[in-house]
Amino acid sequence: MTHDHGNLHARHRAVLPSWLSLYYERPLELTHGEGRHVWDADGTCYLDFFGGILTTMTAHALPEVTKAVSEQAGRILHTSTLYLSRPMIELAERIAALSGIPDARVFFTTSGTEANDTALLLATTYRRSNQILAMRNSYHGRSFSAIGITGNQSWSPTSLSPLQTLYVHGGVRSRGPFAELSDRDYIAACTADLTDLLGQTAGGVAALIAEPIQGVGGFTAPPDGLYAAFREVLAREGILWISDEVQTGWGRTGDHFWGWQAHADNGPPDLLTFAKGIGNGMSIGGVVARADIMNCLPANSLSTFGGTPVTMAAGLANLTYLLDHDLQGNARRVGGLLIERLRAVAAGLDLVREVRGRGLMIGVELVRPGTDEPSPEAASLVLEAARERGLLIGKGGRGGAALRIAPPLTLTVAEAEQGATLLAAALRHTQDQLAGGGGE
Ligand code: PMP
């Protein structure tokens, strides 16, 4: 049987939206996976360092998750939230306990976008205000309200918004007006900026929403402690803190189970949102909030598919595997080694401006050699060169100039070393290509 790849691409273009972009000049059709590997329709095997955008959290085809899904599918696929759901209650109990938020309540959705929408609905209702603080370079989803808190032009198709959004400095350590400052001074400058901003609003800001490490933004982050300093300012006015843990949750950052724990001096956030990895590909999103905030809605609300039994069974099996095998510890150890290897590679290459991140969430920002200008072109070339060598990675950041590396959390040392070697070759190839080809 021929897979007729070109035809499939043409059919994609003919029937799907133009803004639903694909990676690679010859886009890939992935047909199966196992562990940290995936195969395309032609049978070519790739080491997967992107996990379908940080969503294959433990491993492809993890037997425990497959078993839980098929067993639940054989019993009942759907009941709705009108009836008691044992797997939903059990997963909510476990997430509430892990969240660090006291007296926590959990609401399940089908995506990160809907989780953030819910958090915004809760915060704006609780505070009787539609003013939201968001970070520059942020991404929180694709809905009308989530687009209104997106500080990233490439992902902002409209400026219309139900929210009044004020963008705050601090999510991008190594660029912007405060980049040259020390960590301490950087935090002080961003906090002073926040205080100044609050002094200029009509009053009654509802919440700050922030990704502890910006995902789509290219794995950029503030120094540890920034959000704790922000928290102190926000708390004076009762402004809530929403931590968007859609990419940073479940131990991916190695040092912490949640990204907010790098900013924990003044306690946990008031709300936390999650999605992506917890379902290992099954659609689970959700929001955790203090009971008084979660319960503040004056009307009914439900998500028909949120918390459906098959997804909850998958989430429980996936979370159990993650905790039983200390995958956070694995992310710290193997991720630490991978960052070190990539930093050593980068030291010899003008193309690489910065290797950043923590655990298995690593960004490599590329520039036009000899300049400080971000180079999305170089990133596209490295993606292609890595693919040719059997390695899948992602990209992000302004214009897409940062490579994003986020393998499943079961990554082995041997796989990390293999991936680093392949990426090093792809980077060197691209640097030579740019030098030889007369630039971009
Ligand atoms: N928040 C963050 C930090 C994300 O990275 C994403 C997805 N890239 C979302 C929210 C939206 O999640 P979803 O695509 O599941 O709606």
Side-chain angles (χ1 to χ4, degrees), residues 53 111-114 116 139-141 211 216 244 246-247 275-276:
I53 324 181
S111 68
T113 296
E114 200 193 343
N116 284 327
Y139 181 86
H140 298 286
E211 305 155 82
V216 170
D244 178 338
V246 167
Q247 297 211 10
K276 291 202 190 283

Side-chain angles (χ1 to χ4, degrees), residues 265-284:
D265 284 1
N266 295 316
D270 302 289
L271 300 97
L272 172 163
T273 57
F274 60 86
K276 291 202 190 283
I278 182 64
N280 216 36
M282 298 299 283
S283 52
I284 305 177

